[in-house]
Amino acid sequence: LNHNKYFPLDEISLLSYIESVPKLAERLGGNKSHWKLREVGDGNLNYVFIVIGPAGSFVVKQALPYVRCVGESWPLSLDRSYYEANALKEHGLLSPEHVPEVYHFDYQMALTVMHYLEPPHIILRKGLLAGTVYPLLAEHMSDYMAKTLFNTSLVAIPTTIHKSRVAKFSGNVSLCRLTEQVIFSEPYMVAPNNHWTSPHLDEDAKAIRLDDQLKLEIAGLKAKFCESSQALIHGDLHTGSIMVTATSTQVIDPEFAFCGPMGFDVGAFLGNLLLAFFSQDGHASENDREDYKRWILQTVADSWNLFQKKFLALWETTWKDPGDAYPATIYNTANVRELVQKRYISQLFEDTLGFGAAKMIRRIVGIAHVEDLESITDKDVRAVCERRALNVAKLLLKERRNFSSIEQVLSTIQSIK
Amino acid sequence: LNHNKYFPLDEISLLSYIESVPKLAERLGGNKSHWKLREVGDGNLNYVFIVIGPAGSFVVKQALPYVRCVGESWPLSLDRSYYEANALKEHGLLSPEHVPEVYHFDYQMALTVMHYLEPPHIILRKGLLAGTVYPLLAEHMSDYMAKTLFNTSLVAIPTTIHKSRVAKFSGNVSLCRLTEQVIFSEPYMVAPNNHWTSPHLDEDAKAIRLDDQLKLEIAGLKAKFCESSQALIHGDLHTGSIMVTATSTQVIDPEFAFCGPMGFDVGAFLGNLLLAFFSQDGHASENDREDYKRWILQTVADSWNLFQKKFLALWETTWKDPGDAYPATIYNTANVRELVQKRYISQLFEDTLGFGAAKMIRRIVGIAHVEDLESITDKDVRAVCERRALNVAKLLLKERRNFSSIEQVLSTIQSIK
Ligand SMILES: Nc1ncnc2c1ncn2[C@@H]1O[C@H](COP(=O)(O)OP(=O)(O)O)[C@@H](O)[C@H]1O
Ligand SMILES: Nc1ncnc2c1ncn2[C@@H]1O[C@H](COP(=O)(O)OP(=O)(O)O)[C@@H](O)[C@H]1O
Ligand SMILES: [Mg+2]
Ligand SMILES: [Mg+2]
Ligand SMILES: [Mg+2]
Ligand SMILES: [Mg+2]
Ligand SMILES: [Mg+2]
């Protein structure tokens, strides 16, 4: 398999492409003169087209052989498209309510056709910016994370399946390297990609580059990211990879998927919720975001608590036919089962806080920032929000082993403010 | 690639096989009427032939499609031969003084031809049984372990090489599963394979099956074995996989090789030395093994201390061109370098004690025992030796986080005796 026949589609050539794939043409209905098509990619990496016909619709996502927001000077493997399509399918089988269905995948063209998440679906990050409450978010995301992570871990599956999945997704190395670079390395060193609200955070950024304890902790997390194949993770589970309505929560964009540590996904989600939390003061008129801030923190707490509850509930049902990690003949009493589960969850909590914190830090002093904070136009205000987020993140990264509940984390956050 | 043309060689067909491979025939010299050949496999799994000709010699190792010591009822993948040959080559490049050279590998036949380690080379386990001192053992084994483990870890190599090696060796899943079963599972449950000196150790074996704390700890080690791809490890580094003379130390039989935790190799070596130590009283006439016991413990201490010293020395020379784990631009002061190195070594020490202990336990109550102990014919004496080893191993497994030097471990061992 190669990409010799790859070419980037434009609005004209995409219509011909669809025409040439009967199942796609049929799904739209009519013929190409009836199909409406719009490029909506707002991400950093790929093209995304919405295509609508008389009978149906879909989204076409095509990878580019470079980082879209940087240009051809930063090449990036087209293979990521293959891993994204595979992750969508595998996670989709495990959590179909929260993953768009894949209709078609073309390896050569690095192209995936999937279910169109129609309006009012919007990117969660935009909803958080607007101050919209999503009452089911914690319920849905905890469901998605528990099902996808538990069921691709050795708690649930045999070593044979695990190792073949590890082998397959080891091929997604370009994307893993990108994460290593922008999350685990650049924020802790002088790098041309780095930027921050300047001069306000100049000293803060410098302090990070001089903080040996922080460098020690980020090394441990990086090693876990590079070496631990705990589960098939999404790999980029920030609030820009989630589309929501009041009743629906959909996870898109798993192009960074590989077998890695679960806490990297859970931490990405919670860390980005915290960035949204810290940005609220920059978007408030008077104190009109206080309720909303409380809702975000409640969602952080609920997401973690529901996640661990559901993870353990799945584990409980699995004792009759477990994966290879915990044979039921060894873990054969309520007491020893509780012991191993507690240890597992507490390690996962520690990882979640660590990775979540690393994700927050990189969004403030690294290459790619978040709209939650970037859209605060008053730099003085923005810097105050960012510094608070940074200080909490540094604390979590260094002290993560000393937190034993998410409520404790939230009290710390509130006491720092 | 497949094994469709595979057939197990006997002494006749092996001669024809060699004849058909010119580079092998040339190495022996003369023709097949001059070649002497002897099957010497004493291992559990494979056939090993020594072949000697007028001009040269070699060893031919061929895998069988089942576990040799059990029979056809326990099938085992022939692919292990491929991973063994690859590990011999990769480790041989890194530590040529301590790994026999591979002359020929035949995937279809699951067959490796390698350098013949001539007499007086014997299996280290036999030498330890005989009470022979190997003054260079610690020096050599620390060298082998430091070079092979350091140089296949992300401290030394980039992510791209690491992930492709992970992918490749993920295929050695049958052998990983075997380890999971016989080391991390069966000793902690009722299993038909298990046996022990009975009735002497009946209660000891039962206590293990009822020890929740032990089961908690073995779960953590098993997870690390299954999920951590820290380095390309040998995977079966007991004293039966090492051949020695007074001046030479050679590591053979890496058919269990995969990308796993370094501590699994270091622990296997040290744990098997400790088994040799605890068996000495069963082989002593009067107290004539006291000096030898001291030498074994000194070798345990030296092996660990030299290993960590050499590992860190390699790390020091690598800062100018490091692997992807610790970029020199982040880890840029003596202080932070020392911090990350200390953390790395202390985690590795903890793993080493844990895996070493697990290896000891399984050799006393699991499927495959060691000659060190099995050859003690007086069951009362043997049981005393085994119980001491078992108690130390249980303690190490549970308390490994509380030991900060190998000397501390050795004092504990001596105080327990
Ligand atoms: N299935 C979909 N339905 C509707 N909109 C989508 C869908 N997939 C992507 N989008 C839109 O396209 C944008 C970019 O998609 P994404 O998969 O995140 O690409 P990138 O990898 O470049 O970040 C999303 O933010 C969203 O607005
Ligand atoms: N290269 C060699 N030179 C000399 N003897 C060897 C060599 N390789 C193996 N042997 C002998 O054959 C025995 C079995 O080899 P080994 O590789 O350990 O097989 P197994 O995988 O079946 O345990 C060893 O214990 C040793 O006695
Ligand atoms: Mg995206
Ligand atoms: Mg993306
Ligand atoms: Mg052997
Ligand atoms: Mg063996
Ligand atoms: Mg072997």
Side-chain angles (χ1 to χ4, degrees):
Chain A
L1 277 176
N2 59 49
H3 297 103
N4 292 344
K5 293 189 185 146
Y6 172 89
F7 62 97
L9 291 163
D10 57 26
E11 316 221 338
I12 312 289
S13 53
L14 177 52
L15 288 179
S16 314
Y17 181 89
I18 294 168
E19 204 177 22
S20 74
V21 183
K23 69 178 172 188
L24 295 180
E26 270 163 40
R27 188 175 283 276
L28 294 176
N31 63 50
K32 87 174 164 182
S33 70
H34 305 108
W35 303 338
K36 294 213 160 47
L37 164 165
R38 191 161 41 99
E39 210 279 315
V40 295
D42 61 350
N44 297 322
L45 298 182
N46 306 288
Y47 277 118
V48 176
F49 298 91
I50 294 169
V51 189
I52 300 181
S57 62
F58 48 66
V59 152
V60 178
K61 179 170 180 178
Q62 187 183 32
L64 292 169
Y66 49 82
V67 176
R68 182 177 181 180
C69 66
V70 175
E72 308 199 12
S73 64
W74 191 336
L76 194 61
S77 167
L78 290 172
D79 280 350
R80 65 188 190 270
S81 171
Y82 167 78
Y83 299 104
E84 173 165 3
N86 273 275
L88 283 171
K89 286 181 207 167
E90 293 211 38
H91 286 166
L93 283 172
L94 299 170
S95 181
E97 308 85 348
H98 303 300
V99 179
E101 190 185 346
V102 173
Y103 300 139
H104 173 70
F105 173 65
D106 183 335
Y107 181 87
Q108 294 245 3
M109 290 292 280
L111 175 157
T112 304
V113 180
M114 72 185 102
H115 181 74
Y116 170 36
L117 301 165
E118 293 182 25
H121 277 101
I122 62 166
I123 287 290
L124 174 57
R125 196 185 297 288
K126 306 266 185 197
L128 294 167
L129 242 165
T132 309
V133 164
Y134 295 98
L136 296 176
L137 183 61
E139 193 67 68
H140 287 170
M141 284 304 293
S142 59
D143 217 62
Y144 164 83
M145 295 190 297
K147 285 178 178 158
T148 57
L149 299 177
F150 179 84
N151 286 306
T152 59
S153 81
L154 282 164
V155 185
I157 63 171
T159 291
T160 37
I161 295 179
H162 179 249
K163 291 244 190 257
S164 77
R165 196 179 272 138
V166 167
K168 174 170 165 177
F169 283 90
S170 290
N172 204 11
V173 54
S174 327
L175 282 274
C176 289
R177 282 185 69 206
L178 192 55
T179 298
E180 290 174 34
Q181 177 185 344
V182 301
I183 297 182
F184 297 105
S185 294
E186 288 182 353
Y188 306 90
M189 62 192 238
V190 175
N193 289 326
N194 289 341
H195 62 102
W196 52 79
T197 304
S198 181
H200 311 66
L201 296 190
D202 289 359
E203 288 306 310
D204 303 73
K206 187 174 170 197
I208 289 175
R209 297 194 304 270
L210 293 173
D211 189 333
D212 288 352
Q213 213 54 42
L214 209 58
K215 292 179 177 186
L216 174 64
E217 293 304 332
I218 201 70
L221 289 165
K222 186 181 189 180
K224 200 161 239 180
F225 179 81
C226 295
E227 294 166 5
S228 162
S229 61
Q230 195 176 25
L232 178 61
I233 67 173
H234 178 286
D236 196 23
L237 195 54
H238 56 79
T239 51
S241 297
I242 302 168
M243 298 191 73
V244 285
T245 69
T247 55
S248 161
T249 305
Q250 304 289 326
V251 177
I252 60 169
D253 197 11
E255 65 188 323
F256 285 80
F258 76 115
C259 291
M262 296 177 179
F264 193 75
D265 272 5
V266 187
F269 179 57
L270 301 189
N272 275 271
L273 284 180
L274 291 182
L275 288 175
F277 169 81
F278 284 109
S279 76
Q280 292 301 319
D281 289 349
H283 303 296
S285 337
E286 309 289 310
N287 285 333
D288 64 347
R289 294 277 182 128
E290 290 306 311
D291 280 354
Y292 196 63
K293 282 162 65 181
R294 265 187 293 278
W295 174 77
I296 297 181
L297 291 190
Q298 191 59 49
T299 299
V300 169
D302 291 350
S303 294
W304 170 259
N305 289 327
L306 288 168
F307 166 72
Q308 62 151 313
K309 199 179 120 196
K310 291 173 185 186
F311 191 96
L312 290 173
L314 287 168
W315 197 335
E316 280 306 315
T317 67
T318 309
W319 286 117
K320 53 186 181 320
D321 182 24
D324 277 349
Y326 298 90
T329 39
I330 299 173
Y331 302 94
N332 53 358
T333 65
N335 185 58
V336 75
R337 288 177 180 186
E338 201 186 314
L339 270 180
V340 292
Q341 290 175 335
K342 273 209 173 123
R343 174 79 61 94
Y344 200 101
I345 294 292
S346 104
Q347 185 59 57
L348 184 45
F349 187 57
E350 182 190 314
D351 293 352
T352 295
L353 297 183
F355 287 121
K359 295 267 197 175
M360 292 172 71
I361 291 172
R362 77 96 160 203
R363 292 297 195 178
I364 297 170
V365 300
I367 181 175
H369 289 215
V370 289
E371 197 182 348
D372 316 55
L373 291 161
E374 292 298 284
S375 61
I376 302 172
T377 45
D378 183 329
K379 281 175 80 177
D380 296 333
V381 175
R382 191 205 305 157
V384 169
C385 296
E386 289 175 328
R387 182 172 296 116
R388 284 180 189 146
L390 213 47
N391 288 338
V392 162
K394 283 165 64 175
L395 181 98
L396 290 178
L397 194 51
K398 292 190 220 179
E399 302 294 333
R400 65 192 187 281
R401 291 174 197 83
N402 303 324
F403 289 94
S404 57
S405 74
I406 192 75
E407 287 74 17
Q408 239 184 305
V409 174
L410 298 184
S411 330
T412 303
I413 288 174
Q414 280 162 317
S415 75
I416 275 198
K417 284 228 49 180
Chain B
L1 278 176
N2 59 48
H3 297 104
N4 291 345
K5 293 188 186 146
Y6 171 89
F7 62 97
L9 291 163
D10 57 25
E11 315 219 338
I12 313 288
S13 54
L14 177 53
L15 289 178
S16 313
Y17 180 89
I18 295 168
E19 202 176 25
S20 74
V21 183
K23 69 178 172 188
L24 295 181
E26 271 164 40
R27 186 175 285 275
L28 295 176
N31 63 51
K32 84 175 165 183
S33 69
H34 306 109
W35 303 339
K36 293 213 161 46
L37 167 162
R38 190 161 41 101
E39 209 278 315
V40 296
D42 60 349
N44 297 322
L45 298 182
N46 307 287
Y47 277 119
V48 177
F49 298 91
I50 293 170
V51 189
I52 301 181
S57 63
F58 47 67
V59 152
V60 178
K61 179 169 180 179
Q62 187 182 33
L64 291 170
Y66 49 83
V67 177
R68 182 178 180 180
C69 66
V70 175
E72 308 199 12
S73 63
W74 191 336
L76 193 62
S77 167
L78 290 171
D79 279 350
R80 64 188 190 270
S81 171
Y82 167 78
Y83 298 105
E84 174 166 4
N86 273 275
L88 284 171
K89 287 181 206 166
E90 295 210 36
H91 287 166
L93 282 173
L94 299 170
S95 181
E97 307 85 349
H98 303 300
V99 180
E101 191 186 345
V102 173
Y103 300 139
H104 173 70
F105 172 66
D106 183 335
Y107 181 88
Q108 292 245 2
M109 289 294 279
L111 175 155
T112 304
V113 179
M114 72 186 103
H115 181 73
Y116 170 37
L117 301 164
E118 292 182 25
H121 276 101
I122 62 166
I123 288 290
L124 173 58
R125 196 185 296 288
K126 306 264 185 198
L128 295 168
L129 241 164
T132 310
V133 165
Y134 296 98
L136 296 175
L137 183 62
E139 193 67 69
H140 287 170
M141 284 304 293
S142 59
D143 218 61
Y144 164 83
M145 295 190 297
K147 285 177 179 158
T148 57
L149 299 177
F150 179 84
N151 286 307
T152 58
S153 80
L154 283 165
V155 185
I157 63 172
T159 291
T160 38
I161 295 179
H162 179 250
K163 291 243 190 257
S164 78
R165 194 180 272 140
V166 168
K168 173 171 166 177
F169 283 90
S170 290
N172 204 11
V173 55
S174 326
L175 283 273
C176 290
R177 281 184 69 206
L178 192 54
T179 299
E180 290 172 34
Q181 178 184 342
V182 302
I183 297 182
F184 297 104
S185 293
E186 287 182 353
Y188 306 90
M189 62 192 238
V190 175
N193 289 327
N194 290 341
H195 62 102
W196 52 80
T197 304
S198 181
H200 310 65
L201 296 189
D202 288 359
E203 288 305 311
D204 302 73
K206 186 174 170 195
I208 289 175
R209 297 194 303 270
L210 293 173
D211 189 333
D212 289 351
Q213 213 54 42
L214 209 58
K215 292 178 176 186
L216 174 64
E217 293 304 333
I218 201 70
L221 290 165
K222 185 180 189 180
K224 199 161 239 177
F225 179 82
C226 296
E227 294 166 6
S228 162
S229 61
Q230 197 176 24
L232 178 61
I233 67 174
H234 178 285
D236 197 24
L237 195 54
H238 55 81
T239 51
S241 297
I242 302 168
M243 296 191 74
V244 285
T245 69
T247 56
S248 162
T249 306
Q250 303 291 325
V251 177
I252 60 169
D253 197 12
E255 65 189 321
F256 285 81
F258 76 113
C259 290
M262 297 177 181
F264 193 75
D265 271 5
V266 187
F269 178 57
L270 300 189
N272 276 271
L273 284 180
L274 290 181
L275 288 174
F277 169 80
F278 284 108
S279 76
Q280 293 301 319
D281 289 349
H283 302 297
S285 334
E286 308 291 308
N287 286 332
D288 64 348
R289 294 278 181 127
E290 289 307 310
D291 280 354
Y292 195 62
K293 283 162 67 181
R294 266 187 293 279
W295 174 77
I296 297 181
L297 291 190
Q298 192 58 50
T299 300
V300 169
D302 291 349
S303 294
W304 170 260
N305 289 327
L306 287 169
F307 166 72
Q308 62 151 314
K309 198 178 121 197
K310 292 173 185 186
F311 191 96
L312 290 174
L314 287 169
W315 196 334
E316 280 307 315
T317 67
T318 309
W319 286 117
K320 54 186 183 319
D321 182 23
D324 277 351
Y326 299 90
T329 40
I330 299 173
Y331 302 95
N332 54 356
T333 65
N335 185 58
V336 74
R337 288 177 180 186
E338 201 187 312
L339 269 179
V340 293
Q341 289 174 336
K342 275 211 172 121
R343 174 78 61 95
Y344 200 100
I345 295 292
S346 104
Q347 184 60 57
L348 184 45
F349 187 57
E350 182 190 314
D351 293 352
T352 295
L353 297 182
F355 286 121
K359 295 266 196 175
M360 292 172 71
I361 291 172
R362 78 94 159 201
R363 292 297 195 176
I364 297 170
V365 300
I367 181 174
H369 290 213
V370 289
E371 198 183 346
D372 317 56
L373 291 160
E374 292 298 285
S375 61
I376 303 171
T377 44
D378 183 329
K379 281 175 80 177
D380 296 334
V381 175
R382 191 205 306 157
V384 169
C385 296
E386 289 176 327
R387 183 173 297 118
R388 284 180 189 147
L390 213 46
N391 287 339
V392 163
K394 283 164 64 175
L395 181 97
L396 289 178
L397 194 51
K398 293 190 220 179
E399 303 294 333
R400 64 192 188 281
R401 293 174 196 83
N402 302 325
F403 289 94
S404 56
S405 75
I406 192 76
E407 287 74 18
Q408 237 183 305
V409 174
L410 298 184
S411 329
T412 302
I413 287 174
Q414 280 163 317
S415 75
I416 275 197
K417 283 227 53 180

